[in-house]
Amino acid sequence: MPQVLTLTLNPTIDVSGEAEAVRPIRKIRTTRTRFDPGGGGINVARVVSVLGGDAEAVYLGGGEVGQILDRLLKEKGIRTHKIAIDGQTRLGFIVHEQSTGLEYRFVPEGAPVPAASLRQAFDYVRSHAAEYVVGSGSLPEGTPEDFYAELAADVAARGGRFLLDTSGPALRATLERAKVFLAKPSLGELEQVAGRKLDADSAGEAAAEIVARGAAELVAVTLGADGAILASRKGIVRLPTIPVRVRSATGAGDSFLAAMACALMEGRSEEEAFRFGIAAGAAAAMTPGTELCRRQDVFDLYERCKAL
């Protein structure tokens, strides 16, 4: 039985490539094209697998794009459980502009999902014995904003640990109506919950408030180039990012969350898991497009992170 079960209600196939320059009207010729299975939970499952963990990805998929997604996941050796929908799976596109180093990300909303399909996903997670359940990514149209909240409460009731990585109303609803083991917002996502602008210092305070009111045991806030913050009952830890040559920020947050889950499953301390997450996020930034992190990079960077 896999130790980590991930749920992706709004998966995607991420097509990534490079272009010399991105300009309006003109055709933009791209090179180094990649096709990767994507969506928050799927990315987490990919990284858990890369790091030697045992994961299963539950996802909703449909249409011809959904069939390609099935094949890509099979090629990567990811254990899956698919819930078929009538709508078309999303197809996103990411372009790295070589002349500036900027990255452009085009992400469609995704097809509406009927209540029956959402119930199938909920029931499958409910029947699963995985200790760690990851709800990650956006909610497709038609999904109640408290879906993750109900799922988190159900997982906690059976003694599991629910890890949350989402945004907007779904993030607020979950932290208001349920308790999660780990929440991993970005700075911008935490601002949505707090209802105010935050800097690194006030972000730590806002994360600590979430822990203090019992909405989460751990809150890990990713700050991009400014590092990350971990709030727990023990206090607040802030660490800088590891300097690396950044090629793409895509999937860095998913890599961070997956690495933290792996470390916690191995019995490492909260701070060790936090450092492992920072290492994985930096490792993901080193790879092009949607490749995510590489195992050896993560362990090498973790050794550097221990000295921070």
Side-chain angles (χ1 to χ4, degrees):
M1 182 66 67
Q3 292 178 289
V4 180
L5 183 70
T6 73
L7 176 62
T8 311
L9 296 177
N10 207 10
T12 181
I13 291 179
D14 289 322
V15 184
S16 62
E18 298 187 5
E20 174 59 27
V22 177
R23 300 185 179 91
I25 303 175
R26 300 182 185 181
K27 291 181 179 179
I28 309 300
R29 305 291 182 181
T30 60
T31 59
R32 300 182 181 179
T33 304
R34 288 181 59 96
F35 293 79
D36 286 299
I42 285 175
N43 285 343
V44 170
R46 286 172 58 191
V47 174
V48 169
S49 179
V50 165
L51 296 177
D54 190 8
E56 178 180 348
V58 183
Y59 65 99
L60 277 59
E64 294 78 9
V65 178
Q67 294 175 17
I68 299 172
L69 176 62
D70 300 341
R71 177 176 60 80
L72 291 172
L73 286 165
K74 184 177 180 180
E75 289 175 354
K76 290 187 177 295
I78 306 298
R79 190 185 312 195
T80 62
H81 178 81
K82 177 185 177 181
I83 296 168
I85 60 173
D86 292 333
Q88 191 77 253
T89 294
R90 298 186 298 168
L91 185 68
F93 198 67
I94 300 163
V95 179
H96 176 79
E97 187 176 52
Q98 296 169 324
S99 59
T100 63
L102 297 175
E103 188 172 73
Y104 295 86
R105 303 172 68 179
F106 304 90
V107 184
E109 288 184 337
V113 174
S117 299
L118 295 172
R119 175 50 57 182
Q120 287 183 56
F122 191 100
D123 289 345
Y124 186 81
V125 175
R126 167 179 281 178
S127 66
H128 208 284
E131 179 182 0
Y132 288 78
V133 176
V134 178
S136 181
S138 61
L139 298 181
E141 183 181 342
T143 306
E145 64 181 35
D146 63 352
F147 182 90
Y148 283 141
E150 291 190 20
L151 193 61
D154 192 82
V155 170
R158 67 164 175 79
R161 290 177 163 182
F162 190 81
L163 286 66
L164 177 69
D165 186 4
T166 190
S167 60
L171 176 60
R172 288 196 302 272
T174 307
L175 294 178
E176 288 171 357
R177 304 175 196 179
K179 180 177 181 178
V180 303
F181 175 67
L182 169 63
K184 193 219 69 63
S186 66
L187 179 61
E189 291 162 351
L190 185 61
E191 288 176 337
Q192 294 172 353
V193 175
R196 63 184 188 274
K197 286 293 289 183
L198 300 170
D199 57 20
D201 291 333
S202 56
E205 296 169 0
E209 290 170 5
I210 293 172
V211 174
R213 72 170 191 257
E217 289 189 35
L218 303 172
V219 178
V221 186
T222 49
L223 305 173
D226 292 326
I229 294 168
L230 178 68
S232 70
R233 292 288 181 183
K234 298 177 182 177
I236 300 171
V237 177
R238 182 184 175 191
L239 292 175
T241 191
I242 307 170
V244 296
R245 178 175 176 265
V246 176
R247 301 188 66 183
S248 172
T250 302
D254 298 325
S255 297
F256 178 103
L257 180 60
M260 277 202 73
C262 285
L264 291 167
M265 283 189 299
E266 293 173 358
R268 301 194 192 192
S269 69
E270 296 166 359
E271 186 169 337
E272 285 180 309
F274 181 50
R275 292 177 185 273
F276 201 53
I278 289 174
M286 294 168 58
T287 62
T290 52
E291 184 178 346
L292 303 181
C293 60
R294 298 168 184 165
R295 177 183 173 87
Q296 192 57 52
D297 289 339
V298 175
F299 285 96
D300 289 345
L301 290 172
Y302 175 63
E303 292 301 316
R304 289 170 56 184
C305 191
K306 288 195 295 186
L308 296 177

